[in-house]
Amino acid sequence: MHVQLGVLGPVAAWDARGGVVGLRGPMHRAVLARLVVARRRVVPVTRLVEDLWEEPPADAVSAIRTFVAALRRALEPDRPPRARPRLLVTEGPGYALKAAEDSVDAWRFEHAVRAAGELPPAEAVRRLTEALSWWRGPAYADVPEAPWVRSERSRLIDVECRAVEGRAEAYLSLGASAEAVPALDAYVSEHPWRENAWHLLALALYRSGRQTDALSVVRRARRTLSDQVGIEPGPRLRRLETDLLRQADHLDPGPGGPAAQVWAQATAAYERAVPSDTRTRLESTAGLMRDLAVTGGGGLEAARRHRVAAVAAAEQLGDPEVTARVIGIYDVPAVWTRCDDEEQARWLVAAAERTLRTLPPDGHDAARCRLLATIAVESRGALPTDRPASGGQARALQAAGQAEQLARRLDDTSLLAFALNGVFMQSFQRAGLSPRRDAIGAETIAVAQRGGLVTYEVLGHLVRLQSRCAVSDFAGADRHAAAADRLAERYDLPLVTVFTTWYRALRTAMTQPPADAAAAYRQADAILDGAGMPGLRHGLLPLAELSVRLRHGLVPALDAQDDWGPYESWVRPLLLVEAGDTQAARDALRDIASPPRDLMFEAMWCLVARAATMTGDRDVMRRAATQLRPAAAELAGAQSGLLTFGPVAHHLQGLTAAGW
């Protein structure tokens, strides 16, 4: 399903190639619009009838079903005749639109506006400008007037207003006041009741050197509010007029206060002094991307995107030493063992390998070390066979060892911290290696403290948190979570909270009833929204909820709409057998691949072992037992620091009781 839906304008849909999807008549569009407004929730047929007709016809329910059937054919044209719909689904007494958050322009717009509030001003301007470009006209432009659509239009207009005003505030923070003026001037004419917009327009004009125009805007605001809305300006706008007349110092403090002024002055000096086509500019860009990545959200996404562009530009220079520095400077600590963008990771590994081959054979050991560490860190999440360390994984393991050796020989703390990160990423050759990772985490903390490397000190605590969870030492895990949180608060590292919040959800799941555990996991999942870590979020909440139900002996709650992400292959057999489809479960288990050797390795094998036990698949039972025995003293999945399926020993006992 690659359909994009649009309601920021006339109701529309586009297929994966950007072609317009025919939605038939106005009532079809109205049904689709009403389901979009419900935001993935079920709308009973009776409610649809009430909302779509002032005086419903006698066959209204039948008409709704006809509209839905036509919409399904349009939106899922390749669905087999008797296959269940996946987008517009029937649930209980009505219908729900199970569209992804990023496939409806209004939902995507709201997310972008929320996320922009956490971004640096320049990135906020870019994000909000892009989001505002998605509007094609008034929201739900071709849907007949009704209370539900009027309410939704009003809500979206408010979000649009926040976007326009937020972009203007970001322009002002950057010192780009003149760029905020044109959009604000048109905007106040359309939304005269928004006093904040009048305030921003007057301030932007004043900071652009147009004091007379700024005063004129404040006075126009007074007349407009009085004539069109029937009120006088509020105290904030009245104070602004007085401040403009006396040219108050606070009206133009420079972009964003003292810290922002220093930034603006320094960047302006850099722009003047360093030509844009120099190698120095490329290396500085890569370093900036490293710092941007730890801000999370849009910063992390932008860092990944611009990092690749910087490496590609460096390769075009034909200087392997510059390329090595541009690749290696991005030593952002990584604790999760799945890539956020696998294609990009493969490209970066290939670039690092090319650069290694072309570096001069003598010297450059520090650059060589960073390239090898990059290969080890970026080569996470590969899918090996039951034979450990085969193919590309063997190369990644080798690169991790070589980077560590070089770093120790060079006695460089920053190199050693980066190399240890690569060693950690390649420390999953088999189950049961949490003590090994605990030692890596402990050394990472010591090295980071010695070298003043705060982000790596946090990494060490998170690695130790995971390792302590694996062996049920939650008191120890608590200490490392608290230490990571203290560092994150002191040094403004927002992504750390993602992992410590999920850890505390795990703690809740270990001690509280299922309902409380599920609520804690949903709250933890919400913090991932906009964090810029799809490799962590994808499929994680359903897996966590499944872990709660299984640990409490509850039948898994099956929902065909659940997105299991990268875990689907190893969860599906259990879901099938729990649903009573034993033959399909056997088929799914036949020749099932080994899960990736990562933080979820034991968890996935325990799910497979349970399904194999329930279906009597002795071959898979044997494979599961072989893989799980080294971790018999650990909690399955707890080494993730996020969730657990209980003691591995219990799963091994189940295999034994089943005859293996």
Side-chain angles (χ1 to χ4, degrees):
M1 296 184 302
H2 297 291
V3 178
Q4 293 288 315
L5 303 175
V7 295
L8 300 180
V11 177
W14 301 272
D15 60 26
R17 295 181 297 276
V20 176
V21 174
L23 295 178
R24 305 288 294 275
M27 291 303 290
H28 297 78
R29 287 177 164 79
V31 170
L32 183 59
R34 182 62 185 83
L35 295 175
V36 168
V37 170
R39 201 64 176 256
R40 294 174 61 89
R41 294 187 296 273
V42 174
V43 182
V45 172
T46 53
R47 183 61 183 271
L48 283 171
V49 170
E50 293 172 2
D51 285 348
L52 297 180
W53 285 281
E54 290 186 11
E55 297 183 9
D59 63 343
V61 171
S62 176
I64 292 290
R65 290 174 179 149
T66 301
F67 298 147
V68 168
L71 285 169
R72 283 172 171 165
R73 287 193 296 272
L75 298 174
E76 296 185 64
D78 298 327
R79 179 169 57 88
R82 282 178 291 279
R84 292 180 62 185
R86 298 191 62 192
L87 184 58
L88 206 169
V89 304
T90 301
E91 285 190 6
Y95 302 103
L97 183 71
K98 296 295 186 177
E101 284 291 322
D102 62 352
S103 66
V104 179
D105 58 1
W107 302 354
R108 196 166 65 248
F109 179 73
E110 291 180 72
H111 172 76
V113 174
R114 284 196 305 272
E118 304 298 324
L119 297 177
E123 185 64 17
V125 166
R126 186 201 64 78
R127 187 76 172 268
L128 290 171
T129 299
E130 179 187 18
L132 287 164
S133 73
W134 300 335
W135 284 74
R136 297 169 289 112
Y140 299 93
D142 54 353
V143 177
E145 283 295 318
W148 62 270
V149 78
R150 281 196 296 273
S151 174
E152 183 65 6
R153 282 176 185 145
S154 177
R155 194 183 65 80
L156 287 171
I157 287 171
D158 185 65
V159 179
E160 183 188 20
C161 289
R162 294 204 309 272
V164 173
E165 293 170 17
R167 181 175 62 175
E169 289 168 356
Y171 271 132
L172 291 174
S173 296
L174 291 167
S177 304
E179 296 185 42
V181 170
L184 281 172
D185 204 11
Y187 172 73
V188 294
S189 299
E190 296 177 13
H191 306 282
W193 63 90
R194 302 285 294 196
E195 287 195 39
N196 186 50
W198 289 106
H199 189 280
L200 288 168
L201 176 57
L203 198 57
L205 287 165
Y206 181 82
R207 292 185 182 178
S208 302
R210 299 167 61 183
Q211 182 183 7
T212 302
D213 290 337
L215 280 166
S216 176
V217 161
V218 175
R219 290 161 183 167
R220 179 158 59 100
R222 178 185 290 111
R223 290 194 305 273
T224 303
L225 288 168
S226 176
D227 295 345
Q228 297 189 25
V229 188
I231 61 173
E232 289 296 313
R236 185 165 176 252
L237 206 52
R238 293 199 303 272
R239 281 196 305 271
L240 177 62
E241 183 175 18
T242 302
D243 290 342
L244 288 170
L245 287 168
R246 64 185 182 89
Q247 299 180 342
D249 291 341
H250 71 83
L251 291 180
D252 193 6
Q261 288 180 50
V262 171
W263 172 266
Q265 291 163 7
T267 52
Y270 189 91
E271 288 281 348
R272 290 192 300 270
V274 183
S276 60
D277 59 350
T278 62
R279 289 159 167 75
T280 302
R281 180 69 71 92
L282 261 182
E283 292 182 48
S284 299
T285 300
L288 183 61
M289 293 309 102
R290 174 189 59 196
D291 297 337
L292 182 61
V294 298
T295 65
L300 179 56
E301 294 170 352
R304 285 197 296 264
R305 182 171 64 252
H306 296 309
R307 177 194 182 190
V308 168
V311 173
E315 285 199 290
Q316 290 177 8
L317 294 174
D319 186 335
E321 297 174 37
V322 172
T323 304
R325 290 196 293 272
V326 170
I327 293 173
I329 199 173
Y330 192 92
D331 54 354
V332 178
V335 72
W336 191 242
T337 47
R338 282 189 179 273
C339 291
D340 292 316
D341 187 329
E342 292 184 3
E343 182 178 350
Q344 184 186 95
R346 284 192 293 270
W347 188 90
L348 286 166
V349 168
E353 293 282 21
R354 288 193 297 270
T355 308
L356 273 173
R357 290 193 296 269
T358 53
L359 269 179
D362 298 324
H364 307 291
D365 282 350
R368 208 177 304 277
C369 178
R370 288 186 174 276
L371 290 170
L372 289 163
T374 298
I375 292 167
V377 170
E378 297 293 343
S379 296
R380 47 187 156 156
L383 249 178
T385 64
D386 282 355
R387 298 189 310 276
S390 60
Q393 196 190 33
R395 169 55 180 153
L397 185 61
Q398 177 194 54
Q402 291 174 340
E404 183 184 9
Q405 289 175 5
L406 277 171
R408 292 192 188 281
R409 180 163 60 80
L410 293 168
D411 195 25
D412 185 313
T413 52
S414 64
L415 286 179
L416 183 54
F418 192 13
L420 287 172
N421 199 173
V423 172
F424 165 74
M425 283 295 170
Q426 301 304 322
S427 63
F428 297 87
Q429 297 94 322
R430 61 169 175 81
L433 288 176
S434 63
R436 164 72 173 135
R437 288 187 287 279
D438 195 42
I440 294 170
E443 184 176 9
T444 300
I445 293 171
V447 169
Q449 289 175 339
R450 193 165 67 245
L453 308 170
V454 175
T455 55
Y456 277 101
E457 188 176 352
V458 170
L459 172 66
H461 284 297
L462 293 179
V463 169
R464 295 209 69 191
L465 179 156
Q466 295 170 341
S467 304
R468 293 293 86 203
C469 287
V471 294
S472 306
D473 177 12
F474 290 103
D478 286 342
R479 290 192 295 272
H480 290 294
D485 278 336
R486 284 194 298 271
L487 289 167
E489 183 177 2
R490 182 175 180 184
Y491 293 99
D492 196 19
L493 303 171
L495 291 181
V496 177
T497 308
V498 170
F499 294 98
T500 55
T501 301
W502 268 89
Y503 163 67
R504 293 186 176 98
L506 167 60
R507 292 286 273 130
T508 300
M510 295 293 293
T511 57
Q512 301 300 316
D516 293 343
Y521 275 129
R522 285 193 293 273
Q523 290 172 4
D525 183 66
I527 205 172
L528 276 167
D529 187 25
M533 294 188 289
L536 175 63
R537 184 176 198 182
H538 204 34
L540 188 55
L541 180 59
L543 194 66
E545 292 175 333
L546 176 63
S547 74
V548 172
R549 297 191 68 83
L550 291 182
R551 288 188 59 252
H552 287 274
L554 304 173
V555 175
L558 303 179
D559 185 342
Q561 304 306 314
D562 279 340
D563 178 7
W564 294 95
Y567 312 111
E568 197 267 345
S569 296
W570 301 281
V571 175
R572 188 193 324 128
L574 178 60
L575 298 182
L576 289 170
V577 72
E578 292 280 6
D581 197 343
T582 305
Q583 186 54 53
R586 289 195 184 101
D587 293 341
L589 285 169
R590 186 180 301 121
D591 299 324
I592 192 168
S594 173
R597 297 177 186 276
D598 61 13
L599 287 165
M600 290 294 191
F601 182 67
E602 288 93 333
M604 295 300 101
W605 268 120
C606 285
L607 294 179
V608 170
R610 184 183 177 102
T613 300
M614 296 172 75
T615 59
D617 190 323
R618 294 180 61 80
D619 180 58
V620 175
M621 289 166 63
R622 174 189 58 77
R623 289 175 60 198
T626 300
Q627 296 294 340
L628 288 171
R629 279 196 192 99
E634 297 187 1
L635 289 177
Q639 66 175 351
S640 67
L642 313 177
L643 56 83
T644 181
F645 290 100
V648 172
H650 289 181
H651 294 274
L652 289 169
Q653 289 167 9
L655 291 168
T656 301
W660 180 252

